[in-house]
């Protein structure tokens, strides 16, 4: 999902910032994206990433249909 969204925004000549945790993804258009290292659970990194941003798309998610999976911190990559 994220790769398609970033590609569509870049193709429409939008200025794009994207958050990455460990390494910048290897997309064919990655050089047209301003990559910011951070984590959605780290508020200070989000504050830095959101400087001068007018619109946000949130694509990070955990999907589970197992009611026993209550500790989502175990699922973080």
């Amino acid at each position: 999902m994220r790769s398609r969204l970033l590609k569509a925004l870049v193709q429409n000549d939008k200025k794009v910032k994207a958050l990455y945790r460990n390494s910048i993804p290897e997309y064919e258009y990655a050089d047209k994206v301003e990559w910011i290292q951070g984590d959605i659970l780290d508020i200070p990194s989000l504050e830095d990433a959101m400087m001068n941003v007018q619109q946000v798309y949130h694509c990070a998610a955990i999907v589970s249909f197992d009611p026993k999976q209550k500790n989502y911190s175990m699922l973080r990559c």
Side-chain angles (χ1 to χ4, degrees):
M1 172 66 179
R2 177 174 81 166
S3 63
R4 290 182 187 164
L5 175 60
L6 291 177
K7 185 176 183 178
L9 291 170
V10 166
Q11 287 177 333
N12 285 300
D13 296 321
K14 301 294 183 187
K15 184 177 177 185
V16 178
K17 283 185 182 182
L19 200 64
Y20 73 95
R21 188 177 307 149
N22 297 318
S23 60
I24 295 173
E26 294 184 22
Y27 300 139
E28 63 182 279
Y29 45 85
D31 60 328
K32 297 182 185 338
V33 174
E34 180 183 347
W35 293 97
I36 310 288
Q37 187 170 16
D39 189 302
I40 61 169
L41 300 176
D42 176 19
I43 302 302
S45 72
L46 288 180
E47 289 174 343
D48 291 343
M50 298 300 155
M51 295 290 263
N52 301 315
V53 171
Q54 296 177 343
Q55 193 166 5
V56 174
Y57 298 89
H58 180 350
C59 297
I62 296 174
V63 178
S64 174
F65 297 103
D66 183 355
K68 296 177 185 173
Q69 285 186 331
K70 293 181 181 178
N71 187 356
Y72 293 128
S73 64
M74 295 178 3
L75 300 174
R76 291 186 61 205
C77 299

